[in-house]
Amino acid sequence: MSGNSFGTLFSVSSFGESHGPAIGCVIDGCPPGLPIAVEEIQAELDRRKPGTSRHVTQRREPDEVEILSGVFEGVTTGTPIALLIRNQDQRSRDYGNIAETFRPGHADYPYWQKYGVRDFRGGGRSSARETAVRVAAGAIARKWLLQRHGVVIRGYMAQLGPIEIPFVSWDEVGDNPFFAPDASIVSELESYMDELRKSGDSIGARINVVASGVPVGWGEPVYDRLDADIAHAMMGINAVKGVEIGAGFASIMQRGTEHGDEMTPEGFLSNNAGGVLGGISTGQDILVSMAIKPTSSIRLDRRSIDKQGSPVIVNTHGRHDPCVGIRATPIAEAMLALVLIDHALRHRAQCGDVATTTPRIAGLAPQGRQSVPSPRIR
Amino acid sequence: MSGNSFGTLFSVSSFGESHGPAIGCVIDGCPPGLPIAVEEIQAELDRRKPGTSRHVTQRREPDEVEILSGVFEGVTTGTPIALLIRNQDQRSRDYGNIAETFRPGHADYPYWQKYGVRDFRGGGRSSARETAVRVAAGAIARKWLLQRHGVVIRGYMAQLGPIEIPFVSWDEVGDNPFFAPDASIVSELESYMDELRKSGDSIGARINVVASGVPVGWGEPVYDRLDADIAHAMMGINAVKGVEIGAGFASIMQRGTEHGDEMTPEGFLSNNAGGVLGGISTGQDILVSMAIKPTSSIRLDRRSIDKQGSPVIVNTHGRHDPCVGIRATPIAEAMLALVLIDHALRHRAQCGDVATTTPRIAGLAPQGRQSVPSPRIR
Amino acid sequence: MSGNSFGTLFSVSSFGESHGPAIGCVIDGCPPGLPIAVEEIQAELDRRKPGTSRHVTQRREPDEVEILSGVFEGVTTGTPIALLIRNQDQRSRDYGNIAETFRPGHADYPYWQKYGVRDFRGGGRSSARETAVRVAAGAIARKWLLQRHGVVIRGYMAQLGPIEIPFVSWDEVGDNPFFAPDASIVSELESYMDELRKSGDSIGARINVVASGVPVGWGEPVYDRLDADIAHAMMGINAVKGVEIGAGFASIMQRGTEHGDEMTPEGFLSNNAGGVLGGISTGQDILVSMAIKPTSSIRLDRRSIDKQGSPVIVNTHGRHDPCVGIRATPIAEAMLALVLIDHALRHRAQCGDVATTTPRIAGLAPQGRQSVPSPRIR
Amino acid sequence: MSGNSFGTLFSVSSFGESHGPAIGCVIDGCPPGLPIAVEEIQAELDRRKPGTSRHVTQRREPDEVEILSGVFEGVTTGTPIALLIRNQDQRSRDYGNIAETFRPGHADYPYWQKYGVRDFRGGGRSSARETAVRVAAGAIARKWLLQRHGVVIRGYMAQLGPIEIPFVSWDEVGDNPFFAPDASIVSELESYMDELRKSGDSIGARINVVASGVPVGWGEPVYDRLDADIAHAMMGINAVKGVEIGAGFASIMQRGTEHGDEMTPEGFLSNNAGGVLGGISTGQDILVSMAIKPTSSIRLDRRSIDKQGSPVIVNTHGRHDPCVGIRATPIAEAMLALVLIDHALRHRAQCGDVATTTPRIAGLAPQGRQSVPSPRIR
């Protein structure tokens, strides 16, 4: 087990390299009887697909998914669901010089030293291409979470480099290639990206994800807290360098009287906790925010070394996203779905008989921006 | 498995409640032949112990650890190491009113809804008392990491509420109750805490942890990245709300030319990556930073509900840390040690035969503050 | 993780050596709200306890268990349950010569070569003393299985060396130190054992275990079949060399028309399957049989080698069971309970929503011997 | 996780139904740098392939395997290896009546009750077709075991129904469709099978597997003993009802003086232990024997029930092996390989630094029949 499986009860075992024959996964533990169509998975994949705007990589991959097992007559059978996506657009020549040198900020160097062998074409296993698999698996998790528990998972870009993006409405997120929740800022984002692309450089971003409708009680108390597993999931996405739950780093300067979310019979009065207390969901929205670093494959000259340890100048002319954060929203949503379904099943396993007479309360704030504590989004 | 075990190959299974008879753990997978004395574990426990200054909880717990198994004639045998710490100072009366109400910002409410039963005394399992177990287990991990690989793990407080603490020297960290790396700021911290304590409120903090000497190659590429497992470990510490690796959230505004750490035959020229690329250690210092929220148990009045869902006013007069961040440094160090030993063993399992002729390079910056990118600390 | 934990969702992490300070375990994942008293655990331990008749080891261990966590006001809380048993009767001098030599048929030699260090006193970790922990953990599993699902787990000795023991009644099992289901054969067993003990030799045995009331549907289809996990559990008991489910090795000579258990609306007409088909429980009794080898520590001279590889003559004069099978029945019952509770929880996690209108049928044969196919016992 | 993954460090996640589009697996944790060609995997698959003689199912499946990832320029990269086998010969009409009824002795009934839905075509997930995946994955494990440690794994049929098959030579195993180690008995086996096939009935078998060259020290002491994991692996093969290690059930009647394998500087004098003591390999041959039940799908009339619980007569006219044992040898070899590579890696992880000066001894008996204790085969 080398860390290519995710989840304890709803587990995804992923495979595939950027320029190999295919990528895909085996999903084990999916509850039986869930109606799922290949089109539903495809729809999620299409949200993450490359080549859909000039701001992302121009690699042409249809990302067409095939269900190989585990679904019979339109419903899951409880046996493993295998998903297969054939790679189509492999221009290996783009990556010729990477074979002998190491891109700064890229996994090239540690991969080589770890394994002593690597498929360098397009980054091989370290490529963000693998994240298509997560989105596909996440589509099934989301379907179950919605159907069984009414859970809705949505994300958006909250910042692109220096540009903070105000939260206006969930409705605007799907209408632009940035997943920005404010249509009026899109032209500014486009100008910024056009200039960046011309410069040959790359930039970071912030992505926020929110899960609404999560019942109280999911998660575990100590090491596998719900927020700890979310942090694991998010930091396990390529290029993520930081993860916050609820108030996140703003908590440092908060006093207890400000941070601790008060409760009334009508619901919680704030959500600094981000929907998790003591590692267990509270019934409020789960609020997650993450930092995405700038792409390491850039056209500009960078100092590095080659396999012999000699100094070289590296620049990368393959097809790369100048901001990997632009396509990260569906990936982050998928990972959150995978964490939640896993904990939903873990909770049912141990606590399936529990019932208290204490009323269950939720957050009082309406869905959307208001439920996200302002210091975190700015 | 309800999330009370940590680690895949070097695994710690923890138990115990704040006011039960004892806390402790079973460590499985420790390499045999490691010399370990109970005093070495005790020394780490003493760093985290309550009651050592007026700024932390006044609960008097000697935290005396007993080794029950797995060590014979002073060395580990490869069989499970059980550690036991008896609780001594249980004043359950301090917690009487918690039984029927839920403290805002505390695990009380979701625990109750999840399990339908809970040991409310002192927070039961949700108490930070459990972290003593992590420190004890971490002491063994640290010993092995140092002896076998020369890895050194050190942490410090980087911010207390509004007060940023400059990094002056590792030597100053051990000389004050805050784990502050700057002796000259200690009196300011003390004044702040004295005032805070009088007010009955609590405050957050930032803790940084650094692992030096980690070889290139530890970690896994996809889900169980080294940084993902570190995020899981840190977010799994009570009160942590955010985790950063290397440049962390500062990456959002960085361009690729700034963020990507260039390499020369002499070493890496910067460490925005925080010692991890593609989920695998680079040979540079591992840099981790985390946000600790303010304690939820405070003396001031807060709105909440009781078990029947009726509105109540809650205030907590037990013995609590007004800033849980003050004692968090040894815990964060221990968790980092647990992640690292686990990945050291995982790496050896799969890649024990790998050898490349490529030279291994490290960071050029000297140990300590210089290796921590400034944007992350502020 | 070095194999000292058992179970996926109801997991037991065991520790302790024969002559160390204590043995015990951490149980994680127990459903909350289960009433459990220390006396219930103690009652199971007393069934396995050494020194209760002249036919077993004369080591005097009260095997007194302490609950350290996870139980509050008499019910489980859902947090880890730690159980502790202090060792009392450690006569290490009994084992002096074992330190430098390896007993034939014993774990001494491979332990030494694996770890390069070992606690040789009383066999250290390889001692059957560890099985007390399994019985203690199993007591909690049994309680839940009985209370929640009406599952009853019972075992008996079916053969002692050359003496086959007819199944007369469950009622007779508890009335003799052999767990023999036929009181009339006990004097023959006693004579056999007295003679054996005088000779300084040891003997094997067969143990059968039956679980009644297991609902249809527990288990997994492929690798973690219910019977595969049972085989793992039983072969994981010290000295077990063979495991059968249902007709077991008699299946080799059976035709399909004989082996395949026919079904009618009233129930299954036979139970060659032993209650498991395709890895999943059928609703019939789970039938397990196992072979226990003769004790390797015997008083008679045996050829062996010492640490330097030189030839030596070994004989063992410590306190040993001349037939470890005699005390094996409660251990086998406990292991079956641990497998079943784990699969009960795994089943609920994935299939908690499943309901079919197909009637559930059970075995037609009355409980007890009749449900055990005769070819298997002989 | 529903039990479709096998192994802790070298893990195989299997998928696929008998009549779905494909079967296959993801192998995670394979050491990098292992040369592996698709032809090597294919060669193992061809040994298990259906339709190769009149004594096995006549389903025509080429079982052609494709490597989708994890192998680059002929060597493993350390990233997941995905293997894909498309199903070719799906005559679903063969299985029409199975949809509404349950075959006696088959997984039909418990599957239905567990999942409430199932792919009934050809047994779906419960079909032995899944075992092709194990053979494919096992081919990689075998290659590594042989190349890295010189381990050789071989199996044979030891009994076909009433006919015991003497062990003559490994050389004869590959020359007949039964994997019989005695060419002179093959015509008797053929006659028996011809008659059986005509009768419409089925029969059981015994398969033995031997691993030679396993170093001392693989395995874990308590629950995950090497023999416990082997038992789990073997009982996890379709139709297996019993597993023995070494002397197996013959141990019941052995005395300690007979069973305990004496040691001399030249080697072990016998191998009743079957190469495992205290759960750890001894350096002798690993000896495993298993009972395979008769196929449950037979042409003869059997009483059963349908989905409504009404009585029905079932007979099965699809293409089935009248003795599934005939094709079981390569599967059992593969499973043993998977257990051994997993424990090889686990051992290296924890004990990679261990070295003792004690000489390592092996078995004195020559390879083959002589190393298999005769009482076990009978």
Side-chain angles (χ1 to χ4, degrees), chain C residues 47 153-159 164-167 170 173 178-181 205-211 230 234 242-246 286-292 325 328-334 336 368-369 371-378, chain D residues 249 252:
Chain C
R47 293 177 67 217
I153 298 169
R154 291 177 290 197
Y156 58 94
M157 179 182 276
Q159 191 171 344
E164 295 185 21
I165 305 170
F167 185 91
W170 288 116
V173 172
F178 300 95
F179 298 91
R206 180 192 282 269
I207 304 296
N208 289 353
V209 196
V210 179
I230 291 171
M234 299 306 165
V243 180
E244 295 178 304
I245 306 290
I286 309 279
L287 307 178
V288 188
S289 186
M290 72 205 72
I292 313 260
T329 294
I331 303 164
E333 292 172 0
L336 187 53
R369 198 249 175 115
S371 70
V372 185
S374 52
R376 195 172 51 82
I377 305 192
R378 268 137 232 288
Chain D
F249 280 90
I252 296 170

Side-chain angles (χ1 to χ4, degrees), chain B residues 1 4 8-9 17 28 79, chain C residues 1 4 8-9 17 28 79:
Chain B
M1 191 251 297
N4 295 287
T8 299
L9 291 182
E17 279 84 41
D28 199 11
T79 59
Chain C
M1 190 251 297
N4 294 287
T8 299
L9 290 182
E17 281 83 41
D28 199 12
T79 59

Side-chain angles (χ1 to χ4, degrees), chain C residues 27-360:
Chain C
I27 301 165
D28 199 12
C30 185
L34 177 73
I36 191 86
V38 72
E39 293 76 15
E40 294 173 282
I41 304 172
Q42 194 64 52
E44 285 299 322
L45 280 169
D46 290 348
R47 293 177 67 217
R48 180 210 152 274
K49 207 165 60 174
T52 51
S53 82
R54 69 180 182 274
H55 308 297
V56 298
T57 173
Q58 296 307 299
R59 178 171 171 173
R60 298 287 167 183
E61 285 291 349
D63 276 357
E64 204 171 306
V65 66
E66 182 185 7
I67 301 175
L68 296 178
S69 65
V71 177
F72 182 60
E73 298 180 343
V75 300
T76 59
T77 61
T79 59
I81 303 168
L83 302 178
L84 183 72
I85 302 170
R86 293 273 175 188
N87 290 322
Q88 305 289 356
D89 186 14
Q90 303 121 306
R91 292 195 216 152
S92 295
R93 63 181 161 77
D94 288 353
Y95 303 97
N97 66 328
I98 297 171
E100 294 299 315
T101 64
F102 308 116
R103 283 166 289 179
H106 199 279
D108 293 340
Y109 172 72
Y111 257 68
W112 170 250
Q113 295 286 31
K114 181 180 185 66
Y115 296 117
V117 58
R118 75 193 161 100
D119 177 353
F120 53 81
R121 302 166 304 165
R125 183 70 179 153
S126 72
S127 167
R129 176 133 191 75
E130 186 275 338
T131 59
V133 168
R134 310 182 187 208
V135 170
I140 298 173
R142 296 170 83 142
K143 179 78 186 286
W144 186 84
L145 287 164
L146 177 63
Q147 175 169 309
R148 179 66 178 77
H149 289 284
V151 172
V152 173
I153 298 169
R154 291 177 290 197
Y156 58 94
M157 179 182 276
Q159 191 171 344
L160 176 75
I163 308 170
E164 295 185 21
I165 305 170
F167 185 91
V168 174
S169 164
W170 288 116
D171 297 336
E172 310 202 354
V173 172
D175 295 337
N176 63 82
F178 300 95
F179 298 91
D182 176 7
S184 70
I185 210 170
V186 170
S187 61
E188 187 183 341
L189 300 176
E190 293 190 318
S191 305
Y192 183 85
M193 286 306 298
D194 287 340
E195 197 169 351
L196 180 77
R197 201 169 55 250
K198 272 172 219 149
S199 75
D201 214 336
S202 61
I203 193 70
R206 180 192 282 269
I207 304 296
N208 289 353
V209 196
V210 179
S212 305
V214 175
V216 63
W218 292 1
E220 303 293 345
V222 181
Y223 302 116
D224 293 352
R225 289 160 191 263
L226 186 60
D227 38 356
D229 278 5
I230 291 171
H232 173 254
M234 299 306 165
M235 200 71 94
I237 298 174
N238 310 43
V240 170
K241 299 302 288 182
V243 180
E244 295 178 304
I245 306 290
F249 280 90
S251 310
I252 296 171
M253 291 204 270
Q254 287 179 322
R255 295 206 162 202
T257 40
E258 179 188 0
H259 180 89
D261 305 310
E262 291 185 296
M263 304 160 79
T264 70
E266 291 72 39
F268 289 91
L269 298 179
S270 57
N271 191 7
N272 285 290
V276 187
L277 286 172
I280 302 171
S281 63
T282 62
Q284 291 216 82
D285 284 2
I286 309 279
L287 307 178
V288 188
S289 186
M290 72 205 72
I292 313 260
K293 73 174 187 183
T295 316
S296 49
S297 299
I298 53 179
R299 290 207 319 275
L300 301 175
D301 281 356
R302 306 285 289 154
R303 281 172 290 180
S304 186
I305 59 172
D306 63 15
K307 275 189 181 174
Q308 284 70 44
S310 305
V312 289
I313 296 297
V314 171
N315 51 50
T316 316
H317 285 273
R319 300 158 301 172
H320 294 283
D321 291 276
C323 173
V324 281
I326 293 178
R327 295 198 290 141
T329 294
I331 303 164
E333 292 172 0
M335 292 310 293
L336 187 53
L338 293 178
V339 173
L340 290 174
I341 194 173
D342 196 41
H343 276 283
L345 299 182
R346 290 171 77 166
H347 177 67
R348 178 159 77 178
Q350 186 182 18
C351 300
D353 292 324
V354 172
T356 75
T357 56
T358 306
R360 309 208 152 194

